[in-house]
Amino acid sequence: MATDLSWEDCDPWEAFLPRVAEALSAAARRAGAEIPAAELRGQLEWGNSEQADVAFPAHRLARTVGQDARELALRIARNVPSTVGVDRVESTGAFVNVTLDAERFIDRTLTIIRDRGARYGGGPARPGVSCIEHTSANPTGPFHIGRVRNAILGDTLARAARASGEKVVTQYYADDLGRQSAMITWIWSKPIDRWPEAIRAALPNGAEATEEKPDRRLGRPYPLVSQYVKNHPEAAEEVGRLVQDLEGGRAPPTHRQLAEEILRGMCASLRRLGIEFDEFVWESSLLADGSVEAVVQRLKAAPHAVREANGAWAIDASGYGLPKESPRIIFLRHDGTTLYTTRDVAYHLEKFRRFDRVVDVLGQDHRLHARTLDALLAEIGEGRRPEYLIYQDLVLPGGGRMSTRGGSAVWLDDLLDEAVKRARDEVRRRRTDLADDALDAIAQAVGAGAVRYHILRVAPDKPVQFRWEEALSFEGRAGPFLQYAYARAASILRKSGVARAVGRWTASDLLGVEERALVKILSRLPSLVAHAARSGQVHSLAGFAHDIADRFNRFYHAVPVLGSGDKEASRLALVEATYQTLGNTLDLIGVPRLETM
RNA sequence: GGGCGCGUGGCUUAGCUGGAUAUAGCACCGGGUUCCUAACCCGGCGGUCGGGGGUUCGAAUCCCCCCGCGCCCGCCA
């Protein structure tokens, strides 16, 4: 890999925007308005239509120099020096509209796509390593789809960050301490025939051993155990003792095995969505290696540490802007055991030691936890903080969250099974030529793509409405729409009979409106990836993928490629560039590519 | 009660640090297949951007108040 790559080698716009900014800055100076090119560049906007590729709203500048905005825009437009890559500059109202040299722009874009290939969309490699922690659901049972948004956001962010040039390690923080996992161990350490009747009732008539997925099989009694323990003090006491044992490092040998087995099943579900992890961090390991104890010592010595009457330790956090009702953050219980937040401090210190960027993907119910964690980090003099990507829950049509106990949970596996089944019916209807295994492969990809896209397309801070019909939609703004456009491009390339990366083209062959619009959308991938990787707003990539497919479909209907005579080679090159760019984008959002469907 | 988040056409949704006529999808209505995959395309209908004030040349975007929904306010995780 070339290490001396610059942004100009990666992003088509880099060859134009700095020059446009220079030219406009020079013109502004002649018009009596000083503004450095770099600052002006920050105010440039994408042209909103056919009338401009780049626009500069002159209002702000006009104000600072006390001129009339329309007047200034007009004078800037008139004073722009002839600039390589710029075709013409006009003013409309208070806007300075810049039209780029279309042939140069097309050349630049197609060249970069060809040269970068599978890496198109990314930027130069950057030093440092990022850690993205996501999912981290307790290993107590199967994923319901309320939890999967975290995994999809985190995984997509990891893909975007990786593409944009970061080295990324994804981590799953697995909780093998605490009551939840204790209850799993508590029930499974007894033979089934000695389970309380109320819990045994959860198991389908003696079929407990037949289900193959461990998360489902082992997690099944969990909701009932949780209920049972609430109403049976003697059971609660046993579970309580187990919690103590876990924290004291005296976990029964089956404990970790159970957790790992359930987690294995959960991860198998996520793998169907293309989600995998680089590392798993077990919470108990932070106790075992003494790092939690070290944090406790530092917290006890912190400026606002206080000892409660019963012996517990806390931080007086009234200075940290937390809700006034809970100005104290307990970090050590009266019995000397630690809390989740305390252990999380140890976890984050470890992350800061190893990584240059630390991102946590959290549900909105963890917002306060995040602020608490920040406060504790500040208390022990740690200067760094994690970045939080916080998302709202997935909600059901009637309102409300998905709950395992309330019976409103939809298991991820069931959703995927249903999606794949419907996709299979759909494929079978259209394709009579396919063998069963080819058909299955397409159905898997379509089903998984539909589900992943459905959840990814909404901005993280808005709730996702879950409806079966929409999650399983194969039309319009949906995963299969993208796959279909990609398959179409693939089909044209196959039929052209020429195997290559982006072939030769003549930019002047591609000056039609559809072609120019398509090139323009393709050119935006690098800046979008960079933005998504930085901000975590990965849903924008889902929208962008749709825009490419949409533009390509219009081009497809309006412009013949194969058999189009002397323009065929250029048009093929454009199809190849689309195929490459849309394919890269599908990889980024984790929707499987399909060469045929 | 307090804190945080959200509120855009019938439904779902885009809108980057305020900028030119507010995105798209679903649904609905009307068209398109002798032509590279119709899971597609073209046209139409539909919005006082929750309500009210304010800042500004300009507000869906920023500020304040109110209403609605969600989450949190544990020596749980």
Side-chain angles (χ1 to χ4, degrees), chain A residues 4-41:
Chain A
D4 52 351
L5 224 57
S6 71
W7 267 107
E8 196 168 337
D9 303 312
C10 302
D11 183 348
W13 288 88
E14 281 299 312
F16 297 90
L17 290 181
R19 289 186 202 155
V20 167
E22 282 295 342
L24 293 185
S25 170
R29 191 177 313 117
R30 284 185 215 168
E34 286 286 344
I35 177 169
E39 189 184 333
L40 189 149
R41 186 183 163 172

Side-chain angles (χ1 to χ4, degrees), chain A residues 398-420:
Chain A
R401 279 201 288 181
M402 205 160 279
S403 122
T404 309
R405 284 192 302 278
S408 57
V410 175
W411 302 128
L412 174 60
D413 284 317
D414 292 342
L415 174 63
L416 286 171
D417 289 346
E418 179 65 20
V420 170

Side-chain angles (χ1 to χ4, degrees), chain A residues 207-224:
Chain A
E208 57 273 12
T210 64
E211 265 192 89
E212 65 291 318
K213 275 196 87 217
D215 52 334
R216 202 127 173 183
R217 179 168 46 87
L218 297 172
R220 192 182 290 283
Y222 171 71
L224 285 162

Side-chain angles (χ1 to χ4, degrees), chain A residues 229-287:
Chain A
V229 166
K230 264 188 205 123
N231 305 323
H232 295 80
E234 71 289 350
E237 205 173 302
E238 286 181 38
V239 170
R241 265 199 302 278
L242 195 47
V243 171
Q244 296 276 338
D245 286 347
L246 297 182
E247 259 222 49
R250 300 180 304 274
T254 53
H255 177 70
R256 179 66 166 267
Q257 288 166 22
L258 279 165
E260 286 185 351
E261 219 178 322
I262 293 175
L263 188 57
R264 208 162 23 246
M266 294 166 76
C267 286
S269 303
L270 291 183
R271 210 168 300 123
R272 298 176 70 184
L273 288 170
I275 298 167
E276 298 193 54
F277 296 87
D278 297 317
E279 298 179 1
F280 295 85
V281 177
W282 291 92
E283 199 169 5
S284 60
S285 69
L286 299 166
L287 281 174

Side-chain angles (χ1 to χ4, degrees), chain A residues 130-318:
Chain A
S130 304
C131 175
I132 296 173
E133 181 216 331
H134 66 87
T135 310
S136 303
N138 290 344
T140 53
F143 277 105
H144 65 65
I145 58 172
R147 296 225 176 279
V148 81
R149 192 176 191 194
N150 190 310
I152 290 174
L153 286 171
D155 182 67
T156 307
L157 177 59
R159 288 165 185 254
R162 223 164 243 150
S164 84
E166 294 177 40
K167 278 189 203 62
V168 175
V169 171
T170 54
Q171 286 192 344
Y172 187 123
Y173 185 52
D175 176 15
D176 56 341
L177 301 173
R179 296 181 68 79
Q180 300 199 357
S181 66
M183 284 191 275
I184 295 279
T185 298
W186 177 75
I187 191 66
W188 283 108
S189 59
K190 304 172 189 297
I192 290 175
D193 53 25
R194 284 182 43 212
W195 286 11
E197 192 49 45
I199 297 173
R200 204 162 7 151
L203 299 178
N205 48 350
E208 57 273 12
T210 64
E211 265 192 89
E212 65 291 318
K213 275 196 87 217
D215 52 334
R216 202 127 173 183
R217 179 168 46 87
L218 297 172
R220 192 182 290 283
Y222 171 71
L224 285 162
V225 172
S226 168
Q227 198 59 41
Y228 182 85
V229 166
K230 264 188 205 123
N231 305 323
H232 295 80
E234 71 289 350
E237 205 173 302
E238 286 181 38
V239 170
R241 265 199 302 278
L242 195 47
V243 171
Q244 296 276 338
D245 286 347
L246 297 182
E247 259 222 49
R250 300 180 304 274
T254 53
H255 177 70
R256 179 66 166 267
Q257 288 166 22
L258 279 165
E260 286 185 351
E261 219 178 322
I262 293 175
L263 188 57
R264 208 162 23 246
M266 294 166 76
C267 286
S269 303
L270 291 183
R271 210 168 300 123
R272 298 176 70 184
L273 288 170
I275 298 167
E276 298 193 54
F277 296 87
D278 297 317
E279 298 179 1
F280 295 85
V281 177
W282 291 92
E283 199 169 5
S284 60
S285 69
L286 299 166
L287 281 174
D289 69 9
S291 56
V292 172
E293 176 56 25
V295 165
V296 168
Q297 292 312 320
R298 289 174 72 180
L299 282 168
K300 280 182 177 173
H304 301 100
V306 289
R307 184 138 198 215
E308 304 283 314
N310 65 2
W313 282 81
I315 295 295
D316 180 346
S318 39

